[in-house]
Amino acid sequence: TERIMLFNPTNQIARTIVTFLPGQTNAVRREYEIQPGQRVNIIANEIFSDTFNLPIEVSSNQAIVGDRTMLFANDALGESGISRWSRTWYFAEGDGSNDRSTILWLYNPQPSEVVANLLIMPTDGITATRQVLLPPFTRTQVDLSSNYPKAFGLRIAATAPIAAERTVLVGPTKG
């Protein structure tokens, strides 16, 4: 189950638009009026049967708080929303050792291809680079665990503003 939670901490109605972007076409748009102090829960699985690769864009006329939670059989992942796209992203933690996996999701909101240059900074000081091409309006998964079997930090430098999300999984998930 995938849930998007939106909270309006202001004292005015937040006119909010949630746009689901499944691939390059067929964007689905929902509009909400969130009252002051109100929280709205949106179950993405009630709109889409498959939410595995589903970028979501939220815009509002007021400052709101957004959170995305993904529930699995015995696990949950949660991420706060970002306030804007950026060309540079830093993540202090990544790990591909033992039973850990680091997955990077990069979303390109641009109408043209974007290049993301990754700088992987392991704790041993020997850096590595990787280039990822991001097609327009798509979310790309990058598994960093297979090539970097140790703890590392990460910098992403893109040729245009993108969104970046990093997940570290613990347990027998490596394949």
Side-chain angles (χ1 to χ4, degrees), residues 2 51-56 67-70 72 76-82 85-86 88-91 93 102-108 118 134 139-144 154 156 162-169:
E2 188 158 344
T51 61
F52 178 72
N53 187 6
L54 183 65
I56 300 168
D67 184 76
R68 179 179 188 161
T69 303
M70 294 161 276
F72 304 96
L77 297 174
E79 292 290 332
S80 298
I82 60 172
W85 316 121
S86 181
T88 306
W89 293 91
Y90 289 93
F91 294 100
E93 179 188 17
T102 299
I103 307 296
L104 187 63
W105 289 97
L106 304 174
Y107 174 63
N108 176 8
L118 312 183
L134 308 174
R139 188 173 182 228
T140 302
Q141 179 183 7
V142 181
D143 183 353
L144 296 173
L154 175 67
I156 303 163
I162 63 170
E165 174 184 350
R166 185 258 317 137
T167 301
V168 178
L169 302 171

Side-chain angles (χ1 to χ4, degrees), residues 7-11 36-38 63-65:
F7 174 67
N8 178 3
T10 72
N11 60 3
Q38 180 186 20
I64 62 171
V65 178

Side-chain angles (χ1 to χ4, degrees), residues 36-125:
Q38 180 186 20
R39 184 178 85 176
V40 172
N41 293 313
I42 304 164
I43 308 298
N45 300 88
E46 292 175 355
I47 302 168
F48 295 96
S49 59
D50 181 10
T51 61
F52 178 72
N53 187 6
L54 183 65
I56 300 168
E57 183 176 303
V58 178
S59 60
S60 183
N61 68 331
Q62 299 294 325
I64 62 171
V65 178
D67 184 76
R68 179 179 188 161
T69 303
M70 294 161 276
L71 304 173
F72 304 96
N74 295 317
D75 207 355
L77 297 174
E79 292 290 332
S80 298
I82 60 172
S83 60
R84 64 183 160 270
W85 316 121
S86 181
R87 291 185 61 214
T88 306
W89 293 91
Y90 289 93
F91 294 100
E93 179 188 17
D95 198 339
S97 61
N98 299 324
D99 63 346
R100 297 175 191 264
S101 296
T102 299
I103 307 296
L104 187 63
W105 289 97
L106 304 174
Y107 174 63
N108 176 8
Q110 308 300 328
S112 58
E113 185 176 81
V114 170
V115 176
N117 293 295
L118 312 183
L119 175 63
I120 295 91
M121 301 170 279
T123 54
D124 64 9

